[in-house]
Amino acid sequence: MSEERSLNFIEQIVEEDLANGSTGGRVLTRFPPEPNGYLHIGHAKSIVLNFGLAQKYNGATNLRFDDTNPVTEDTEYVDSIREDIKWLGFTWEKELYASDYFEQLYEFAVKLIKKGLAYVEDATAEEIAAMKGTPTTPGVNSPCRSRSVEENLDLFERMRKGEFKDGEKTLRAKIDMASPNMHMRDPLMYRIKHAHHHRTGDKWCIYPMYDFAHGQSDSIENITHSICTLEFIPHRPLYDWFIKELDIYPSHQYEFARLNLNYTVMSKRKLKQLVEEKHVAGWDDPRMPTISGLRRRGYTAASIRNLCERVGVQKRDNVIEYSLLEFCIREELNKTANRAMAVLDPVKLVITNYPEGQVEELEAENNPEDPNSGSRKLPFSNTLYIEREDFMENPPKKYFRLGPGMMVRLKNAYIIKGEGVEKDADGNITTIYATYLPESKSGGDSSGLTVKGTIHWVSAAHAVAAEVRLYDRLFTVENPGAEEGDFKSFINKDSLQVIENAYVEPGLLQAKPGDRFQFMRKGYFSVDPDSTPGKPVFNRTVTLKDAWAKESAKAAK
RNA sequence: UGCCUGAUAGUAUAACGGUAGUACGACAGACUCUGACUCUGUUUGUCUUGGUUCGAAUCCAGGUCAGGCAACCA
């Protein structure tokens, strides 16, 4: 199959650059997170793009923390970001920090002052905003704009020395207050913040703005392709202006559309709110679209990378359907996850003609999709647990499960026939009675019978009690961020259902956090770190597709 | 009423002047010791109006719609 995937527009640019030698035959990208939150699946797209591009074209990718705002940043975030990138399967060339360049950035600023292209501003934030004009009306020049180079140099040095309070002075680029691009109206380069920085400590009290740090950092590192999201398009002329006036390595910026997923929010601000206001258990809550949340939910790195590759890279806004992510993980886990029997909503089933006290070891395939997965033994006895929904006293048409007089196969075991039930005072079924066909044993069935349904089970005396956490989408609407009012009012109150006492097959007692299984007919589950030696905890990653659920929902209408 | 992006099935993406294709979803069926998987089939699309051309999703012009831009955030 020589079917080649067509190149995305950034790959096309890279190939052109490589062909015409404009980057010296090099590809050096960077992934530049601000360490003020955890990475989410939107970042994964950027990571896959940046690292993937470098891999494809024999280049490299730097990890650079954009840590120019000390009040929002923290080393906790630095650590989690590192871990998540590694987990996704990528290795960076150099680990760098914008704060590594503070001294050099300061010199750059001095250079621009000397060229008469930067000046110290006295105005307050409000005054600066007022002088800036609006998108449809030009701004006006600040009185400070005409300060002499000498005075600017002196004032800027005194800013650095800490002679001024926060907000008292700023350094601005002298460009064009009438520019149709608001970002070119004498943008701020430096502001005063007497704040402790997570890496530079109290060494600095002036910090460069994004626009005077990002492009310069790219240039210092000789980044060839600086890839960012669409909202930075209007910054590009400024990015280029600084590089030109500073006469430094010409990195170039390219923009792509960020990834959006429906039924969730992606902005760091909103995710942070969910965590801080305890709507979720933490940044790694399995309902979160964070890398750590998806990991805990049971998503694999490969499935996330796969999603990022499937959605492509382009410049139009998009919202990816959650079902595509689910497809990616099901596709992988179907091939790799061992099957197991787990009864989530147990009801007791007694086989009246099976000898009491007898225990058989039955053979069970670990994964029919993987011939090398081997098999395991399952204990079988006269008292089992089956799923409550697998028995109905008055079943509708096309119900291929157990009912009075109905036959069904117990997976890997025998065909049984429903005989009767026992109920409590409220009419709830407490025990189902059935008979089995000894000659119908799996692997050696001589009964000549075929039944339409097969159900899962566990032996009551051998089953292990487990906690199972069932997750659903975090929000009830497709785009909670775009709805009127507070996005948190659209939180799905049933997004987490905890089953304290499910029963799983005995072998699962040995499962370790991170292990993944397909609970037959129920979905894919992974072992949560909250598990204890005696009681495993399983997170449902995703359900299996369920044709019967659709069928019965249709019938209910 | 300025500047900048963008617009192809429900969603996402391809076609780079020459048959509008792929994936996910949905629907129908086959198979099944998982109502899973797999397989088969069906459905739905080039924002609009002109122009250039033998030929336009693609090039040009106008319009419409959507998103972004006026933080001492990134």
Side-chain angles (χ1 to χ4, degrees):
Chain A
M1 305 293 111
S2 63
E3 197 181 321
E4 283 178 33
R5 205 185 98 245
S6 50
L7 300 178
N8 66 49
F9 80 98
I10 293 180
E11 289 169 326
Q12 288 184 21
I13 289 167
V14 169
E15 295 206 354
E16 279 163 32
D17 290 342
L18 254 21
N20 65 29
S22 62
T23 61
R26 282 185 316 120
V27 175
L28 212 213
T29 58
R30 101 268 93 112
F31 176 64
E34 184 189 10
N36 68 346
Y38 280 60
L39 259 28
H40 55 63
I41 191 157
H43 294 106
K45 176 173 175 178
S46 174
I47 290 168
V48 168
L49 213 205
N50 277 294
F51 285 87
L53 217 46
Q55 278 173 5
K56 181 167 180 177
Y57 297 104
N58 295 312
T61 305
N62 288 342
L63 167 59
R64 183 174 70 235
F65 290 97
D66 228 336
D67 56 349
T68 57
N69 187 357
V71 302
T72 58
E73 297 154 5
D74 196 272
T75 49
E76 173 199 350
Y77 300 123
V78 170
D79 294 341
S80 75
I81 288 167
R82 265 205 221 103
E83 186 190 346
D84 288 347
I85 298 171
K86 275 192 242 168
W87 179 77
L88 277 172
F90 297 103
T91 309
W92 50 88
E93 179 81 1
K94 293 178 182 165
E95 179 174 324
L96 302 162
Y97 296 79
S99 55
D100 291 340
Y101 309 133
F102 281 172
E103 189 63 48
Q104 194 165 356
L105 260 13
Y106 180 85
E107 294 306 323
F108 283 161
V110 168
K111 183 172 177 179
L112 288 180
I113 293 172
K114 287 180 177 166
K115 283 183 78 174
L117 293 175
Y119 60 96
V120 172
E121 174 65 75
D122 300 337
T124 64
E126 296 70 33
E127 289 163 345
I128 290 173
M131 287 188 285
K132 205 148 205 168
T134 71
T136 51
T137 57
V140 296
N141 286 167
S142 162
C144 301
R145 211 172 194 264
S146 52
R147 266 211 252 257
S148 71
V149 168
E150 292 67 33
E151 190 182 1
N152 282 320
L153 250 16
D154 174 61
L155 253 16
F156 187 48
E157 190 180 343
R158 286 164 59 197
M159 279 169 64
R160 175 183 184 163
K161 283 180 177 160
E163 292 185 21
F164 305 106
K165 292 195 286 286
D166 286 9
E168 215 176 316
K169 302 263 186 251
T170 54
L171 184 73
R172 301 178 74 177
K174 192 189 287 185
I175 307 180
D176 178 9
M177 290 305 291
S179 172
N181 181 342
M182 297 298 289
H183 296 277
M184 299 299 274
R185 318 242 269 223
D186 289 12
L188 262 52
M189 295 165 60
Y190 270 91
R191 76 288 216 193
I192 299 171
K193 276 179 193 280
H194 291 273
H196 189 83
H197 186 280
H198 69 107
R199 294 188 81 246
T200 60
D202 299 316
K203 180 176 179 194
W204 293 87
C205 65
I206 57 172
Y207 292 92
M209 299 290 289
Y210 167 85
D211 285 309
F212 196 66
H214 200 99
Q216 291 62 41
S217 302
D218 285 342
S219 180
I220 289 167
E221 294 170 23
N222 283 12
I223 298 296
T224 57
H225 302 267
S226 177
I227 301 164
C228 61
T229 46
L230 256 27
E231 68 270 27
F232 291 99
I233 289 177
H235 294 250
R236 184 168 7 110
L238 182 55
Y239 181 105
D240 292 338
W241 188 89
F242 279 129
I243 282 180
K244 178 174 129 271
E245 296 302 341
L246 255 12
D247 192 25
I248 53 180
Y249 179 82
S251 294
H252 287 282
Q253 175 182 303
Y254 303 93
E255 310 87 9
F256 71 99
R258 63 168 68 250
L259 177 150
N260 297 293
L261 251 194
N262 62 184
Y263 295 105
T264 190
V265 292
M266 212 65 95
S267 93
K268 244 187 243 181
R269 201 192 98 249
K270 293 195 175 86
L271 293 175
K272 196 168 188 162
Q273 253 184 79
L274 292 174
V275 173
E276 287 176 352
E277 296 172 17
K278 313 242 184 250
H279 294 103
V280 296
W283 285 98
D284 70 343
D285 184 297
R287 291 165 293 183
M288 293 281 274
T290 51
I291 304 296
S292 50
L294 291 165
R295 176 167 63 228
R296 190 162 178 181
R297 177 80 169 256
Y299 278 86
T300 60
S303 69
I304 293 172
R305 277 187 257 120
N306 191 235
L307 175 85
C308 293
E309 271 152 25
R310 277 169 181 271
V311 302
V313 180
Q314 70 317 99
K315 296 183 84 136
R316 58 190 104 106
D317 292 327
N318 61 84
V319 182
I320 306 301
E321 290 182 345
Y322 208 89
S323 60
L324 184 59
L325 213 209
E326 295 186 330
F327 167 81
C328 290
I329 191 61
R330 285 195 189 109
E331 182 189 44
E332 180 182 347
L333 260 21
N334 177 48
K335 297 194 193 94
T336 60
N338 279 172
R339 294 333 53 161
M341 304 246 244
V343 177
L344 273 29
D345 183 15
V347 61
K348 191 181 285 184
L349 177 120
V350 175
I351 300 170
T352 53
N353 60 338
Y354 191 90
E356 188 160 359
Q358 178 174 314
V359 176
E360 261 185 282
E361 294 281 316
L362 301 173
E363 194 81 11
E365 218 175 1
N366 283 328
N367 185 350
E369 303 287 324
D370 177 4
N372 299 318
S373 64
S375 63
R376 65 194 186 286
K377 299 282 191 190
L378 292 175
F380 182 84
S381 64
N382 80 325
T383 305
L384 313 174
Y385 289 115
I386 67 167
E387 215 68 63
R388 191 168 282 278
E389 63 175 14
D390 285 341
F391 179 90
M392 282 183 90
E393 277 194 287
N394 300 297
K397 261 190 294 188
K398 292 202 269 183
Y399 182 82
F400 307 137
R401 303 182 190 182
L402 203 58
M406 290 175 76
M407 290 199 287
V408 75
R409 173 170 292 281
L410 293 173
K411 178 72 185 172
N412 296 126
Y414 300 92
I415 292 175
I416 57 168
K417 183 177 174 186
E419 303 289 355
V421 297
E422 196 170 277
K423 296 183 182 175
D424 64 16
D426 300 325
N428 301 310
I429 295 172
T430 52
T431 307
I432 298 164
Y433 294 97
T435 51
Y436 86 118
L437 276 60
E439 69 276 19
S440 67
K441 184 169 174 175
S442 292
D445 188 343
S446 60
S447 70
L449 287 172
T450 55
V451 293
K452 198 83 171 117
T454 301
I455 65 172
H456 59 280
W457 53 273
V458 290
S459 170
H462 306 88
V464 170
E467 178 176 324
V468 176
R469 299 172 182 170
L470 305 179
Y471 299 99
D472 199 355
R473 52 178 60 135
L474 228 200
F475 290 92
T476 55
V477 295
E478 284 205 37
N479 188 353
E483 295 285 337
E484 296 274 321
D486 187 358
F487 77 100
K488 296 190 295 300
S489 62
F490 300 99
I491 291 177
N492 176 10
K493 292 180 180 58
D494 302 316
S495 60
L496 169 60
Q497 183 195 343
V498 179
I499 297 173
E500 303 280 357
N501 272 297
Y503 289 107
V504 301
E505 62 176 69
L508 259 30
L509 198 54
Q510 267 71 53
K512 295 181 300 296
D515 285 355
R516 298 181 178 88
F517 300 91
Q518 183 200 93
F519 287 174
M520 291 244 212
R521 307 207 299 139
K522 291 276 107 182
Y524 294 99
F525 291 76
S526 84
V527 182
D528 192 85
D530 286 349
S531 297
T532 56
K535 187 162 187 183
V537 176
F538 294 93
N539 293 321
R540 183 174 68 197
T541 309
V542 64
T543 61
L544 254 26
K545 281 210 246 175
D546 190 349
W548 169 245
K550 278 182 193 168
E551 182 71 29
S552 52
K554 252 191 304 182
K557 277 182 188 169

